[in-house]
């Protein structure tokens, strides 16, 4: 068994004690971590985003922090700032909540563009700038950001550069009746169940998983299928902008990690097809007349996935 499969199974078994939902979502989030990406969760409040992020952090043994975005949140509230120490007559840098391994950024689109830019630097370059100095972020560094898709008042739309830094956009959705019954009955104790979770792996093992993910084989036929999907977005008449090379790299790495999480050392066309929607969703820019027609990025992607044929594939690994 590969280390990714072993570690992901341990984390999933731990997280499922408190998170009741589609296991594929958990697989995709873990794939994002092992691929060195970040995930945007689009969901209404109360669907378990915070519980999921905290459960993954506690189960993985990684440091966790949460940033609650509001219009008055300043970049220094995220990155940290220097504090004057009279005793030593010098400034000392006090790290902000971004200086953690797993960071939950709640309601990201409530932060101003200036504060969003501080997050952009951290996500894109693995560093933050404060008081004219660069501070490297520790590895692994993983951002789970959330936004409410049905609320617009008091929000700031995410710029394209910000959305492009997320490897995937996912939605947990509402639980089924059986899962919701378990969620409700779990509230009988004074201590939230997530606080009782213990680490089942370590930072060192997570880093080994990230290294192993890069070695997962991608066949030439699978690569051709991936590139055909990317090219189709660039030629689509309803799109002003298709998938950039950064997007194709994100799909490639996500597919590698997802295959490993599912116990394979090779990527299948089905992996690429499954991940194309969450990877492409926030990267496409629709033309004005396409929006007027009622088209969405999701409908266009689904149409492309139905149009582009899946290649015949046999693993040769």
């Amino acid at each position: 068994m590969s280390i990714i499969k072993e570690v992901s199974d341990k984390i999933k078994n731990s997280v499922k004690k408190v998170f009741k939902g589609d296991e594929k979502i958990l697989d995709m989030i873990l794939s994002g971590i092992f691929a060195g990406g970040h995930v945007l969760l689009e969901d209404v409040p109360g669907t378990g985003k915070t519980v999921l992020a905290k459960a993954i952090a506690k189960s993985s043994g990684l440091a966790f922090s949460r940033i609650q975005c509001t219009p008055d949140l300043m970049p220094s509230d995220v990155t940290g700032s220097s504090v004057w120490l009279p005793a030593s007559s010098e400034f000392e840098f006090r790290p902000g909540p971004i200086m953690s391994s797993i960071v939950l950024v709640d309601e990201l689109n409530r932060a101003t563009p200036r504060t969003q830019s501080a997050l952009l630097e951290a996500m894109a370059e693995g560093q933050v700038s404060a008081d004219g100095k660069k501070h490297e972020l520790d590895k692994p560094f993983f951002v789970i950001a959330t936004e409410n898709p049905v609320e617009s008042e008091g929000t700031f739309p995410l710029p394209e550069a910000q959305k492009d830094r997320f490897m995937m956009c996912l939605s947990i959705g509402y639980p089924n009746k059986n899962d919701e019954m378990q969620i409700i009955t779990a509230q009988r104790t004074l201590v939230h169940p997530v606080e009782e979770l213990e680490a089942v792996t370590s930072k060192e093992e997570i880093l080994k998983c990230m290294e192993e993910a890069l070695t997962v084989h991608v066949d030439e036929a699978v690569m051709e299928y991936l590139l055909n999907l990317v090219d189709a977005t660039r030629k689509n008449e309803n799109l002003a902008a298709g998938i950039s090379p950064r997007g194709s790299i994100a799909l490639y790495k996500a597919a590698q990690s997802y295959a490993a999480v599912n116990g394979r050392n090779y990527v299948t066309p089905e992996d690429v097809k499954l991940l194309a929607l969450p990877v492409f969703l926030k990267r496409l820019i629709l033309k004005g007349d396409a929006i007027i027609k009622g088209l969405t990025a999701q409908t266009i992607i689904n149409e492309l996935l139905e149009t582009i044929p899946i290649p015949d594939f046999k693993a040769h690994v």
Side-chain angles (χ1 to χ4, degrees):
M1 181 184 292
S2 72
I3 186 171
I4 290 184
K5 176 63 173 172
E6 180 182 347
V7 169
S8 61
D9 281 352
K10 289 192 292 187
I11 294 176
K12 285 194 293 183
N13 289 335
S14 175
V15 171
K16 284 190 291 186
K17 294 177 183 178
V18 297
F19 174 73
K20 309 300 178 183
D22 188 352
E23 190 172 326
K24 280 187 178 179
I25 296 295
L26 190 50
D27 285 346
M28 291 181 185
I29 292 176
L30 290 175
S31 299
I33 294 176
F34 299 145
H38 309 285
V39 170
L40 176 64
L41 293 178
E42 268 199 343
D43 263 309
V44 296
T47 51
K49 301 182 292 294
T50 303
V51 169
L52 177 57
K54 290 180 70 173
I56 291 174
K58 289 182 73 69
S59 300
S60 61
L62 299 175
F64 171 79
S65 65
R66 176 180 176 177
I67 301 172
Q68 182 62 56
C69 292
T70 56
D72 60 349
L73 186 74
M74 299 295 292
S76 59
D77 297 328
V78 173
T79 62
S81 59
S82 295
V83 178
W84 175 254
L85 301 177
S88 58
S89 298
E90 60 183 10
F91 284 99
E92 179 182 85
F93 179 70
R94 299 286 174 86
I98 199 68
M99 299 287 198
S100 193
S101 289
I102 295 183
V103 182
L104 172 63
V105 183
D106 218 359
E107 297 185 288
L108 173 60
N109 54 340
R110 287 196 175 279
T112 61
R114 183 182 177 192
T115 301
Q116 287 182 21
S117 67
L119 289 165
L120 178 60
E121 180 187 13
M123 294 168 63
E125 302 176 33
Q127 66 179 27
V128 296
S129 299
D131 300 322
K133 294 183 179 180
K134 304 288 186 182
H135 301 273
E136 295 291 327
L137 297 175
D138 199 10
K139 292 184 179 181
F141 172 66
F142 179 64
V143 171
I144 303 181
T146 72
E147 65 175 357
N148 184 344
V150 298
E151 191 173 20
S152 60
E153 187 173 348
T155 62
F156 302 86
L158 302 183
E160 301 307 322
Q162 180 76 65
K163 290 187 284 188
D164 200 35
R165 291 315 191 275
F166 288 102
M167 179 169 278
M168 289 179 273
C169 176
L170 302 171
S171 175
I172 297 174
Y174 292 114
N176 58 42
K177 285 185 178 180
N178 184 56
D179 287 341
E180 190 154 6
M181 183 184 297
Q182 295 182 53
I183 293 170
I184 294 170
T185 54
Q187 308 305 312
R188 292 174 178 172
T189 60
L190 293 176
V191 179
H192 195 288
V194 74
E195 301 300 335
E196 298 178 346
L197 294 181
E198 296 182 355
V200 295
T201 184
S202 64
K203 174 182 175 180
E204 289 70 28
E205 285 188 324
I206 298 293
L207 290 173
K208 288 180 181 178
C209 289
M210 295 175 71
E211 292 178 2
E212 185 180 281
L214 297 172
T215 67
V216 174
H217 178 71
V218 181
D219 189 81
E220 185 176 338
V222 177
M223 176 66 84
E224 182 74 16
Y225 176 58
L226 184 154
L227 292 175
N228 286 341
L229 289 174
V230 170
D231 188 55
T233 67
R234 298 171 182 173
K235 296 177 179 178
N236 191 284
E237 61 181 11
N238 294 306
L239 297 175
I243 298 300
S244 69
R246 183 183 287 118
S248 57
I249 292 171
L251 181 55
Y252 181 89
K253 289 186 174 182
Q256 283 183 305
S257 291
Y258 187 81
V261 166
N262 285 273
R264 286 180 277 106
N265 63 347
Y266 60 90
V267 175
T268 67
E270 287 73 20
D271 295 329
V272 175
K273 183 175 182 178
L274 176 67
L275 293 166
L277 179 59
V279 172
F280 289 176
L281 191 58
K282 290 297 181 180
R283 290 184 161 90
L284 299 181
I285 302 176
L286 275 66
K287 291 181 179 177
D289 56 350
I291 297 174
I292 293 172
K293 292 176 187 176
L295 295 177
T296 64
Q298 183 168 342
T299 57
I300 292 173
I301 295 168
N302 286 332
E303 183 180 318
L304 293 178
L305 291 174
E306 292 299 320
T307 304
I308 308 295
I310 296 179
D312 292 330
F313 171 74
K314 292 182 180 179
H316 300 289
V317 182

